Every structure is written in C-alpha cells, then in structure tokens.
Amino acid sequence: MTALATSQSASHAGDDHEASGAPRADCIADSAGGLTFDVTDPGEPGTEDAAHLLLRRRDADSAEDYVRLPLSPSADGRLRAALPSSVELAEGRWNAYAQVAGGEPRRLMPGVNDLRSLVDRAPSGSRGHVAVRIPYATKQGNLSVRSWLRAPHAEAGEIDITDTAMTVHGRVYGTGLTDTAYVEAVRRDEPDHVHRAEVSFEGPEFTFTLPYGPLAGRGTGPWDLWLCPAGESGPRVRLARILDDVPDKKAIFTYPVVKCVTTDHGTLEAGPYYTLDNDLSVRVRDVDAREGGGGEG
C-alpha cells in the first residue's frame, strides 16, 4: 500500500522572544530558492534609507551567522528586501528582524507567506547543490526561515509500506547514480551496525526496498538512511524531504507502522519518520511505546 502522510499540529521550538507589536513581513518564495520580504512599519518614519532586514542564525556565534539585507521602498509603500538564491544561507533556523538606523533589531512577525512555487519543486541541481529556504511562524508567532544547503542531495518521495518492508522512491541532485549504488540504514547509537539495500534507478530517479526484520533484530532505536550513489567510492548522501513548503515534517507526516516479532526482543514495531531536520529515518520501538510519541530527533 502507499503510505499517505496525515496532518497533525506542529510547534517550533527554540525561539527567543514573544511577538508583541512587532512589524510584519509578507514573504514570497521563488522556485530557485530565493525569498522576498515585504515589511510594514519597520520603525521610525523617515529612516527607510537606513533600514535593513537582519537574519540571525539560531544560536549564532560568528559573523557568518548573520545576513543583512537592505530594505528599499516598494510601490505599495512598504519596504522590500530580497534574499537571492545566489546568497548562501547555512543550514539551520534563522530568526528575522527589522533594523532601522543602527537601532536595536525588532523581531518580525509573519504576514502572508506565498510558497506556491515550492510545491513539487524540481531544481536542476546544475550548481551541485540544492538550496531551500522556507519562512514559517514560530510557536511565539515570530518569523523565522528554515534553511537547507545540501551538496549533493537525495530527495525522498513516495513511500510504499508492506507487512515486512518499505519501498522509497526518490531523486538525486548534484551527482549521478551508478550500478554500484546502494542505501545504508545506520543504527544511530551504534553506527558500526549498517544494513545495506540495493538501489534500482533510471536517470536521477531511484528506488530501494528496506526490510524491517534486520533492523528490528537489533532491538529498539532509530536508523538513519543514507544513499551511496556511486557505492563505496563516491559521496554518502543523507536522504531527506525538503523540496516542498513544509518546514517541519516530523509532527506533520506520519506513516503506518509494522509489527516485527523478534527472537531476542519480543514484538516491536517499525516504520519511517522524518527527523527534526526533515531527514528520513526508520524508528524501531516497543509496541507500548507508541503512546509516548517517541523522542528520536
């Protein structure tokens, strides 16, 4: 059967200030990975020429964790800042601020986010990397941007679930697939324990089937999935799903679980899930642990 994701409410942790009386920013995303911010009321009137939009990476500790973009008047009376796809934004969560004339940065609140261009996005991969920026509202109501920069990138697509295994369909960007390609499931807390699965492909599109039995045989715990498109001689690429408009998939996308009877660990259950970074993993846990929701990242 084909596993369909079901929606649940999601929260975004790690923000620093409650939004109160802050300026708002509408965001428009383009298919190349760029963002445009339209800001209302960034501060004192008459100081637009010295206004900037500041992006600060969560837990920033260096100059590279700050990006300043000039805010310029637009036709509708607001101020506009552009973050082109050519400007690199390191992976992570970036808090958005408006800053006027050297004053204190003011946290931005989200307005309307137009993310239509991100749905079913298929970048060329010609630059050797995939850049993704998704604006979102934090649980405090502030504006942040979730950024990914993957080189190369393995995008997970449809996942089919059977009684014993899962089959993943995906596409690779920034590198090619060869006859020696395979996928590795790596036990997170014991990285020496690896299970390989064969990969079939046509052009950049690939498919693999991962049985749950060998994973459940090691007991409970998460397994992370990696694509080795050229076998042992090439890159090792983390499987993820980032080419859409959903910044946090862990609490939003859920998949069926399968019961696995093992000799040493009794009855467990296994199934795919997305981590806090939208990477694809497999969770193996006790059947009774489902009520607790699971704490893997």
Side-chain angles (χ1 to χ4, degrees):
M1 63 181 173
T2 297
L4 299 178
T6 58
S7 294
Q8 300 175 351
S9 61
S11 63
H12 308 284
D15 213 80
D16 48 0
H17 297 294
E18 295 283 341
S20 177
R24 292 184 178 272
D26 295 339
C27 297
I28 302 174
D30 63 51
S31 59
L35 285 177
T36 299
F37 303 85
D38 286 324
V39 179
T40 60
D41 187 25
E44 295 297 325
T47 57
E48 291 85 352
D49 290 341
H52 290 83
L53 186 141
L54 175 66
L55 295 175
R56 177 185 180 274
R57 192 179 181 190
R58 198 82 50 84
D59 302 321
D61 57 8
S62 71
E64 295 179 352
D65 294 322
Y66 294 84
V67 174
R68 290 172 60 85
L69 305 171
L71 281 165
S72 304
S74 61
D76 58 4
R78 296 184 293 178
L79 298 180
R80 173 168 291 182
L83 175 67
S85 59
S86 57
V87 174
E88 288 193 2
L89 203 63
E91 283 210 19
R93 299 179 186 273
W94 295 73
N95 297 334
Y97 304 82
Q99 187 174 25
V100 175
E104 288 297 318
R106 300 178 66 196
R107 199 72 168 86
L108 285 169
M109 294 176 63
V112 177
N113 288 338
D114 184 351
L115 308 181
R116 290 173 292 179
S117 66
L118 301 183
V119 178
D120 297 325
R121 180 182 171 215
S124 67
S126 59
R127 295 181 179 178
H129 69 261
V130 169
V132 176
R133 294 88 176 265
I134 304 178
Y136 69 94
T138 70
K139 66 180 181 180
Q140 289 88 2
N142 296 310
L143 176 64
S144 289
V145 176
R146 182 64 174 93
S147 175
W148 288 268
L149 188 64
R150 298 283 170 101
H153 170 57
E155 178 77 1
E158 186 176 276
I159 301 176
D160 301 326
I161 307 292
T162 69
D163 291 338
T164 60
M166 70 179 199
T167 297
V168 179
H169 307 272
R171 182 183 180 95
V172 68
Y173 295 88
T175 189
L177 291 156
T178 71
D179 292 335
T180 58
Y182 57 82
V183 162
E184 288 186 339
V186 180
R187 187 169 168 85
R188 189 177 301 168
D189 59 355
E190 296 178 280
D192 290 338
H193 293 293
V194 177
H195 179 77
R196 288 185 179 181
E198 294 183 355
V199 170
S200 60
F201 67 95
E202 183 174 349
E205 309 285 341
F206 64 87
T207 302
F208 68 91
T209 297
L210 181 67
Y212 293 137
L215 311 187
R218 299 296 308 180
T220 60
W223 294 71
D224 298 326
L225 303 185
W226 298 79
L227 173 68
C228 298
E232 295 181 356
S233 63
R236 192 164 174 261
V237 188
R238 189 70 167 93
L239 269 84
R241 184 167 180 172
I242 58 177
L243 295 176
D244 57 24
D245 61 344
V246 183
D248 292 298
K249 294 181 174 64
K250 184 176 181 181
I252 296 176
F253 284 21
T254 61
Y255 295 92
V257 295
V258 172
K259 288 187 178 180
C260 304
V261 179
T262 70
T263 302
D264 297 329
H265 306 284
T267 301
L268 306 177
E269 63 181 20
Y273 78 101
Y274 286 103
T275 71
L276 295 173
D277 292 321
N278 286 5
D279 295 326
L280 183 61
S281 295
V282 176
R283 177 189 291 118
V284 179
R285 60 186 176 184
D286 293 325
V287 172
D288 295 337
R290 192 191 315 175
E291 296 298 325
E296 301 94 343

